[in-house]
């Protein structure tokens, strides 16, 4: 399998929005990455090719809202392209620039110019949570007036899909969002978005009976997708054939999360195993800094990440769980929620939500395959079914 | 399973391990705390190890210490079960010695270390700066171990049975035998609180794991056990101290050793392998023990792709 | 309207070869947008590389066409699906 290194530049901690579920507890408008820091990070990374042997690289730009720093990003990308070529670096043959944006300034001239210039290497996801009602419930402008951002985002969707017809969106579900799941996913389909990556937050936000409400929403969504025939061309990551099975403790012992195999750099030039370990992402723990652009990476600090496995961090209940597959975790949230400063304690706040998802998922596939068999269409569907990656963070 | 309770009798109790105790101000453990600590040890069936300061204790403390079966860890002076030295030197007395040295002192005073080994029933060398080893230091350490092993071999041929943790422990062991802090032992500090080991206390007094009043509260206790240490559970450098304090200092996790720790332990392991082979050339030696295997790595982390 | 017809398949190794060339060509093309003749040494390297990569790219299709004898058409061209290694004849 092609190995991929994900390298994230935290270009700004500023954002136009103040989403209610945002895990970035320390957002601010002051910490913007200086060009010198970005350049030093690139020089360090490209200068240590022997430590970055992955075949491909995804240069990821994150915020806050990354496109607020489009001029810096443009300069970084130009430098990356030139340097990868000048150094004859193996990543010149396989790289992408990746963005997850709130979409508000997607149509601005500078962003559009950047897209035209780098189109073949771009992967851009616009976050839209669903219907106006659902989106504006959480994704509001900062400033305290509860003004939703839906209208400013949705006007850019046609342009985005024209430029990236396979563009997918990422939806995050918190407790208050549960009643809107079905209508939101269907709404995104109706906007022409064929891939909806959706997941529940890992934080411990769930109320009593949230799992039942969640399950009901997913069943209703399953009915709509199947009865409406969406399953041929659209995918929603809540429904996946691979989830809800027991996992052998030896054969399936790998870690879920890629922290440690990724690398993040912030405005101060510090390196992190993933953005979630930077101070602005953490509620109650100290950041885990694994080096900086001057001294390089302290490989000792990566060792726990690179040797972490499923069973060592899981409780016996999770190891023995009969529906374990597809139950995700975020190493950063595990660390943040742990009783001690460790990445070796798996948070289980999503347990009941995962179980509800598994039940709805079973329903979905049983119902879908029965329908396809009755219509004699199963074989054809198997050949051409849309694939959805279980994108979780 | 918890087996040992280490009691620091004073703020200035001697360090017998990797950590430095830089505290200079005497502050004896309050007598009532000492009594409660001893009582706790009795109730929990723990073997108590008292760590002494350099100065002489008041008589009521000496009397209290004698109320329970115990070991005494002391700077080289009067009667003890373990002596601690900060310099290699010949020692008079039939007491095992912990020698705390930096790599430079070890490299420079190799002959004195060998002489010391000849004068004690057991020598435990603790490197106080293992985390600073460089590639060059590894090479020097490997050579040093080979030369000391040759001395040990000669001593065996002469009919003696020297014990030096870096070389002879691995020959005798068939499973991991590490420090065990947090799993097999805990430490009671002069403030009446429990710590994973003395190093955790001296580094940060807020880092306690309970107190005498409420008992132990070791969060994520499992992480001090070998089964929860992904690198160590695949390792056969059985003599490694596997210092959880150094682990946390270098990798931020108590269950994960640094590269330097692993390489140093494997250089010792490999030197032990050769020593065992060489001693056996002179006759039967430890017949119940298998040879130590040849391996092609110095850091088990590098073989992680092969772990099941 | 374009018509796509499956006409063959290459091996994963062959697919990797053309995918790398495809990616390199895209990279060179996008680099060409920002590199100017002011940076003479790099610019020359780029121009040379573009030529070489283009030749290798065409060479791959010529070699594969020869090897597999895929169906062809005057008003069509072949396309490869990197995910499946399948070759399609696309006609308009």
């Amino acid at each position: 399998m092609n190995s991929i290194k994900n390298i994230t530049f935290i270009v700004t901690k500023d954002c136009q929005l103040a989403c209610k579920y945002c895990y970035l507890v320390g957002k601010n408008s002051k910490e913007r990455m200086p060009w010198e820091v970005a350049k030093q990070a690139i020089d360090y990374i490209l200068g240590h090719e022997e430590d970055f042997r992955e075949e491909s690289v995804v240069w990821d730009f994150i915020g806050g809202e990354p496109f607020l720093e489009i001029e810096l990003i443009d300069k970084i990308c130009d430098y990356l392209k030139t340097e990868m070529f000048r150094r004859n670096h193996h990543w010149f043959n396989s790289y992408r620039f990746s963005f997850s944006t709130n979409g508000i300034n997607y149509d601005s001239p500078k962003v559009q110019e950047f897209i035209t210039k780098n189109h073949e290497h771009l992967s851009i996801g616009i976050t839209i949570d669903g219907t106006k009602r659902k989106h504006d419930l959480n994704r509001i402008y900062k400033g305290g007036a509860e003004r939703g951002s839906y209208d400013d985002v949705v006007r850019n969707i046609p342009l985005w899909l024209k430029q990236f017809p396979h563009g997918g969106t990422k939806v995050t579900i918190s407790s208050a969002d549960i009643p809107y799941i079905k209508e939101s996913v269907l709404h995104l389909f109706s906007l022409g978005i064929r891939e909806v990556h959706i997941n529940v937050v890992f934080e411990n936000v769930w109320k009593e009976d949230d799992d039942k409400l969640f399950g009901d929403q997913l069943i209703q969504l399953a009915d709509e997708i199947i009865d409406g025939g969406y399953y041929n061309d659209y995918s929603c990551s809540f429904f996946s054939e691979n989830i809800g099975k027991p996992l052998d403790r030896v054969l399936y012992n790998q870690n879920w999360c890629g922290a440690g195999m990724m690398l993040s750099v912030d405005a101060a030039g510090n390196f992190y195993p993933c953005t979630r370990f930077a101070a602005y992402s953490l509620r109650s723990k100290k950041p885990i800094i694994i080096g900086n652009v001057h001294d390089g990476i302290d490989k000792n600090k990566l060792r726990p990440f690179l040797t972490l496995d499923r069973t060592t961090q899981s409780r016996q209940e999770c190891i023995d769980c009969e529906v374990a597959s597809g139950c995700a975790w975020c190493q950063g949230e595990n660390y943040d929620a742990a009783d001690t400063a460790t990445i070796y304690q798996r948070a289980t706040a999503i347990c009941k939500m995962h179980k509800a998802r598994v039940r709805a998922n079973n329903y979905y596939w049983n119902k879908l395959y029965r329908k396809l068999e009755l219509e004699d269409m199963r074989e054809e569907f198997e050949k051409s079914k849309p694939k959805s990656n279980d994108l979780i963070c | 399973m918890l087996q040992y309770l280490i009691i620091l009798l004073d703020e200035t109790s001697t360090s017998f391990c990797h950590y430095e105790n830089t505290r200079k101000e005497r502050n004896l453990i309050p007598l009532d705390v000492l009594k409660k600590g001893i009582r706790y040890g009795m109730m929990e069936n723990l073997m108590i190890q008292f760590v002494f300061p350099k100065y002489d204790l008041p008589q009521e403390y000496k009397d209290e210490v004698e109320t329970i079966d115990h070991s005494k860890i002391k700077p080289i002076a009067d009667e003890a079960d373990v002596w601690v030295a900060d310099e290699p030197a010949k020692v008079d007395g039939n007491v095992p010695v912990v020698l705390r040295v930096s790599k430079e002192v070890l490299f420079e005073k190799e002959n004195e270390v060998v002489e010391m080994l000849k004068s004690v029933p057991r020598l435990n060398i603790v490197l106080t700066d293992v985390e600073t080893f460089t590639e060059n230091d590894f090479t020097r350490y490997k050579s040093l171990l080979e030369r000391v092993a040759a001395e040990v071999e000669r001593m065996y041929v002469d009919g003696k049975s020297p014990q030096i943790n870096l070389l002879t422990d691995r020959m005798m062991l068939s499973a991991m035998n590490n420090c065990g802090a947090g799993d097999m032992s805990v430490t009671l500090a002069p403030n009446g609180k429990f710590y994973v080991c003395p190093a955790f206390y001296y580094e940060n007094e807020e880092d306690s794991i309970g107190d005498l009043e409420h008992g132990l509260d070791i969060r994520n206790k499992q992480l001090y056990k070998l089964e929860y240490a992904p690198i160590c559970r695949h390792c056969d450098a059985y003599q490694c101290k596997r210092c959880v304090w150094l682990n946390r200092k270098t990798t931020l996790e108590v269950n994960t050793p640094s590269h330097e720790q692993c390489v140093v332990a494997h250089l010792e392991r490999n030197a032990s392998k050769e020593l065992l082979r060489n001693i056996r050339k002179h006759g039967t030696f430890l017949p119940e023990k298998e040879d130590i295997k040849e391996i092609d790595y110095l850091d088990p982390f590098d073989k992680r792709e092969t772990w099941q | 309207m374009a018509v796509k017809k499956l006409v063959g398949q290459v091996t994963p190794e062959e697919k990797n070869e053309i995918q790398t060339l495809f990616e390199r060509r895209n990279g060179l093309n996008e680099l060409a947008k920002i590199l100017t003749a002011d940076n003479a040494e790099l610019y020359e390297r780029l121009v040379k590389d573009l030529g070489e990569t283009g030749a290798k790219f065409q060479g791959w299709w010529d070699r594969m066409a020869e090897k597999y004898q895929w169906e062809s058409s005057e008003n069509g061209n072949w396309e490869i699906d990197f995910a499946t290694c399948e070759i399609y004849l696309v006609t308009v």
Side-chain angles (χ1 to χ4, degrees):
Chain A
M1 208 176 85
N2 185 13
S3 54
I4 300 169
K5 188 81 185 177
N6 200 299
I7 298 174
T8 304
F9 293 88
I10 307 171
V11 288
T12 177
K13 291 179 183 171
D14 197 9
C15 182
Q16 305 97 320
L17 304 181
C19 302
K20 291 177 185 170
Y21 53 58
C22 185
Y23 66 88
L24 302 174
V25 291
K27 280 198 298 191
N28 64 74
S29 56
K30 294 180 202 119
E31 291 178 75
R32 302 165 60 212
M33 182 175 280
W35 158 244
E36 268 312 307
V37 167
K39 182 179 177 300
Q40 283 171 318
I42 294 166
D43 288 342
Y44 172 77
I45 293 163
L46 296 182
H48 289 77
E49 195 171 357
E50 69 282 3
D51 291 335
F52 297 90
R53 294 309 310 158
E54 289 84 354
E55 291 164 55
S56 306
V57 63
V58 174
W59 302 102
D60 196 12
F61 298 87
I62 196 170
E65 166 51 35
F67 282 155
L68 287 177
E69 291 295 332
I70 187 63
E71 285 169 51
L72 172 68
I73 289 169
D74 186 44
K75 196 169 176 181
I76 291 175
C77 292
D78 282 359
Y79 187 66
L80 278 170
K81 287 183 286 190
T82 310
E83 281 299 295
M84 285 191 293
F85 179 69
R86 190 182 69 76
R87 294 168 187 257
N88 203 17
H89 196 288
H90 71 283
W91 282 344
F92 186 75
N93 288 341
S94 192
Y95 69 92
R96 291 287 180 276
F97 298 131
S98 171
F99 301 85
S100 186
T101 172
N102 61 29
I104 291 172
N105 65 352
Y106 184 83
D107 61 344
S108 70
K110 281 179 182 163
V111 172
Q112 284 302 305
E113 200 179 306
F114 174 80
I115 289 171
T116 307
K117 194 163 132 186
N118 296 286
H119 186 267
E120 296 304 313
H121 289 93
L122 292 184
S123 161
I124 299 178
I126 291 184
T127 303
I128 179 163
D129 271 5
T131 58
K132 181 173 169 59
R133 183 167 61 150
K134 157 71 175 76
H135 185 95
D136 286 347
L137 192 70
N138 281 310
R139 299 185 70 80
I140 53 171
Y141 280 93
K142 65 184 180 189
E146 294 277 322
R147 182 162 74 92
S149 59
Y150 176 86
D151 293 335
D152 295 330
V153 179
V154 86
R155 69 182 166 80
N156 285 324
I157 298 296
L159 174 62
W160 169 57
L161 286 177
K162 189 177 158 204
Q163 292 170 328
F164 301 98
H166 299 292
T169 195
K170 189 172 163 294
V171 182
T172 309
I173 301 296
S174 193
S175 181
D177 310 314
I178 293 173
Y180 310 104
I181 291 173
K182 181 194 73 172
E183 64 175 48
S184 292
V185 173
L186 294 174
H187 180 71
L188 293 170
F189 288 169
S190 76
L191 291 175
I193 300 169
R194 289 166 186 266
E195 274 193 42
V196 177
H197 305 288
I198 187 165
N199 65 278
V200 295
V201 297
F202 293 107
E203 286 77 5
N204 191 11
V205 297
W206 307 110
K207 301 191 181 90
E208 205 183 334
D209 288 339
D210 270 357
D211 55 329
K212 292 190 185 75
L213 290 171
F214 179 57
D216 288 346
Q217 276 291 311
L218 292 192
I219 295 279
Q220 289 177 42
L221 178 61
D223 286 340
E224 291 282 353
I225 291 176
I226 294 167
D227 298 344
Y230 290 106
Y231 50 84
N232 282 318
D233 300 312
Y234 297 85
S235 73
C236 167
S237 64
F238 269 144
F239 302 118
S240 162
E241 282 182 281
N242 303 320
I243 71 160
K245 314 279 191 303
L247 288 175
D248 184 279
R249 60 180 301 156
V250 177
L251 294 176
Y252 296 97
N253 196 25
Q254 62 273 36
N255 194 20
W256 175 282
C257 171
M261 287 178 281
M262 308 184 279
L263 184 70
S264 282
V265 58
D266 73 0
N270 289 320
F271 288 132
Y272 303 89
C274 154
T275 306
R276 190 64 173 78
F277 290 92
Y280 82 139
S281 310
L282 294 163
R283 297 183 303 273
S284 58
K285 295 284 193 322
K286 285 185 192 162
I288 292 189
I289 297 172
I290 57 165
N292 59 60
V293 295
H294 308 291
D295 306 324
I297 293 171
D298 177 352
K299 290 180 187 169
N300 275 332
K301 297 211 167 52
L302 279 178
R303 287 162 75 93
F305 289 92
L306 300 180
T307 51
L308 188 56
D309 58 56
R310 183 176 69 90
T311 53
T312 308
Q313 65 186 302
S314 300
R315 294 189 304 186
Q316 196 60 41
E317 183 190 350
C318 297
I319 295 171
D320 296 338
C321 179
E322 292 186 355
V323 294
S325 68
C327 183
W329 60 86
C330 159
Q331 223 62 57
E333 172 57 20
N334 286 1
Y335 171 68
D336 214 0
D339 296 329
T340 59
T342 182
I343 58 169
Y344 278 78
Q345 185 189 341
R346 182 170 159 191
T348 53
I350 63 162
C351 177
K352 65 178 186 177
M353 305 304 283
H354 173 69
K355 286 173 178 162
R357 178 190 170 197
V358 167
R359 288 189 292 272
N361 188 63
N362 292 341
Y363 171 85
Y364 176 88
W365 292 103
N366 280 315
K367 176 167 173 163
L368 177 59
Y369 279 137
R370 186 62 185 154
K371 180 186 182 204
L372 291 167
E373 277 157 12
L374 291 173
E375 292 170 355
D376 204 17
M377 295 293 285
R378 178 160 180 173
E379 206 175 323
E380 195 173 321
F381 175 80
E382 296 275 12
K383 267 193 248 168
S384 59
K385 63 186 169 190
K387 291 177 181 67
S388 170
N389 295 322
D390 228 355
L391 206 81
I392 53 115
C393 65
Chain B
M1 186 186 154
L2 206 56
Q3 293 177 34
Y4 302 98
L5 175 63
I6 297 163
I7 299 183
L8 302 174
L9 291 171
D10 188 88
E11 199 74 16
T12 63
S13 286
T14 189
S15 167
F16 58 96
C17 207
H18 291 289
Y19 66 97
E20 288 297 329
N21 183 1
T22 55
R23 303 201 185 170
K24 300 278 186 279
E25 206 168 314
R26 292 178 185 185
N27 180 19
L28 266 174
I29 189 168
L31 198 58
D32 67 311
V33 174
L34 177 60
K35 284 180 180 174
K36 282 181 192 163
I38 290 171
R39 186 182 146 92
Y40 182 87
M42 285 175 168
M43 289 167 67
E44 299 296 326
N45 244 350
L46 303 175
M47 174 70 183
I48 297 187
Q49 298 171 328
F50 292 108
V51 190
F52 284 68
K54 280 189 177 142
Y55 68 90
D56 198 27
L57 291 184
Q59 191 56 45
E60 68 261 37
Y61 280 77
K62 289 181 184 169
D63 294 343
E64 193 57 42
V65 160
E66 294 305 327
T67 61
I68 181 155
D69 187 20
H70 66 276
S71 322
K72 293 187 180 74
I73 301 172
K74 290 184 173 183
I76 296 181
D78 53 0
E79 171 259 340
D81 300 286
V82 176
W83 275 337
V84 182
D86 289 324
E87 279 282 312
K90 257 190 157 178
V91 178
D92 291 327
N94 194 29
V95 177
V97 173
V98 171
L99 172 62
R100 297 181 65 251
V101 280
S102 65
K103 62 188 179 191
E104 282 311 322
V105 171
L106 183 66
F107 294 147
E108 279 165 23
K109 300 194 173 177
E110 181 183 328
N111 293 336
E112 287 93 324
V113 171
V114 172
E115 287 309 306
M116 192 175 197
L117 172 62
K118 288 175 181 167
S119 69
V120 296
R122 175 176 172 81
L123 184 61
N124 264 5
I125 296 179
V126 176
L127 284 161
T128 54
D129 52 4
V130 68
E131 70 277 18
T132 67
F133 267 62
T134 61
E135 286 300 318
N136 185 41
D137 294 330
F138 292 146
T139 308
R140 291 169 80 193
Y141 191 55
K142 181 171 181 277
S143 305
L144 176 136
L145 289 170
E146 283 165 7
R147 289 191 298 275
V148 176
E151 291 290 342
V152 172
E153 184 188 341
R154 270 194 281 280
M155 292 166 74
Y156 268 103
V157 173
D158 290 345
K160 295 174 188 130
S161 301
Q163 286 189 41
I164 174 166
N165 62 329
L166 309 182
L167 289 163
T168 58
D169 283 8
R170 177 60 184 81
M171 298 195 304
M172 317 286 174
L173 292 167
S174 306
M176 275 290 185
N177 184 32
N178 320 120
C179 157
D183 177 28
M184 293 169 70
S185 68
V186 291
T187 291
L188 178 66
N191 63 3
K193 291 181 180 173
F194 291 114
Y195 294 85
V196 171
C197 81
F200 284 75
Y201 168 67
Y202 288 117
E203 189 176 72
N204 177 11
E205 288 185 29
E206 300 297 307
D207 211 359
S208 72
I209 49 168
D211 56 39
L212 281 168
E213 199 181 335
H214 304 96
L216 280 172
D217 177 21
I218 310 180
R219 304 277 170 93
N220 280 318
K221 194 176 170 180
Q222 76 283 1
L223 296 180
Y224 297 96
K225 293 181 184 297
L226 180 65
E227 309 89 83
Y228 287 84
I231 296 177
C232 304
R233 69 178 181 234
H234 292 97
C235 177
D236 75 344
Y238 299 144
Q239 87 296 343
C240 178
K241 282 189 85 73
R242 211 163 82 76
C243 171
V244 296
W245 173 71
L246 268 184
N247 286 356
R248 196 181 66 169
K249 185 177 167 186
T250 53
T251 70
L252 307 179
E253 292 287 347
V254 294
N255 66 348
T256 308
S258 67
H259 170 70
E260 293 77 18
Q261 171 71 80
C262 287
V263 174
V264 162
H266 279 75
L267 291 172
E268 294 160 4
R269 174 214 182 267
N270 290 349
S272 304
K273 174 177 79 74
E274 287 305 306
L275 176 60
L276 180 60
R277 204 170 61 93
N278 290 337
I279 294 173
R280 281 175 170 168
K281 284 180 189 166
H282 302 285
T284 305
F285 180 67
L286 300 173
E288 73 286 1
K289 298 283 178 204
E290 288 182 8
D291 283 344
I292 301 171
K293 276 190 303 185
E294 180 84 38
I295 51 175
D296 61 357
Y297 58 88
L298 288 173
D299 184 351
F301 176 81
D302 297 336
K303 305 296 281 185
R304 64 190 184 281
E305 304 299 336
T306 65
W307 298 342
Q308 280 245 307
Chain C
M1 191 184 140
V3 179
K4 269 173 88 168
K5 182 184 175 190
L6 179 65
V7 293
Q9 195 172 28
V10 294
T11 66
E13 292 75 25
E14 288 164 344
K15 184 269 298 185
N16 288 343
E17 191 186 337
I18 192 66
Q19 190 168 12
T20 303
L21 290 168
F22 174 80
E23 288 284 338
R24 187 165 190 85
R25 196 180 64 170
N26 282 344
L28 292 167
N29 284 335
E30 290 192 342
L31 182 62
K33 293 180 193 171
I34 58 165
L35 217 55
T36 60
D38 302 346
N39 192 341
E41 191 198 330
L42 218 52
Y43 189 76
E44 272 176 37
R45 256 180 69 188
L46 171 70
V47 171
K48 189 165 169 263
D49 204 331
L50 266 169
E52 284 171 1
T53 305
K56 282 182 195 165
F57 194 84
Q58 189 55 47
W60 185 91
W61 282 106
D62 294 344
R63 257 190 300 129
M64 294 303 126
E66 174 75 21
K67 177 179 173 184
Y68 291 107
Q69 296 291 314
W70 296 314
E71 179 186 333
S72 60
S73 163
E74 283 214 351
N75 56 348
N77 59 288
W78 293 308
E79 271 183 17
I80 181 166
D81 181 338
F82 290 136
T84 62
C85 303
E86 288 170 336
I87 305 293
Y88 291 90
L89 176 63
V90 184
T91 48
V92 276

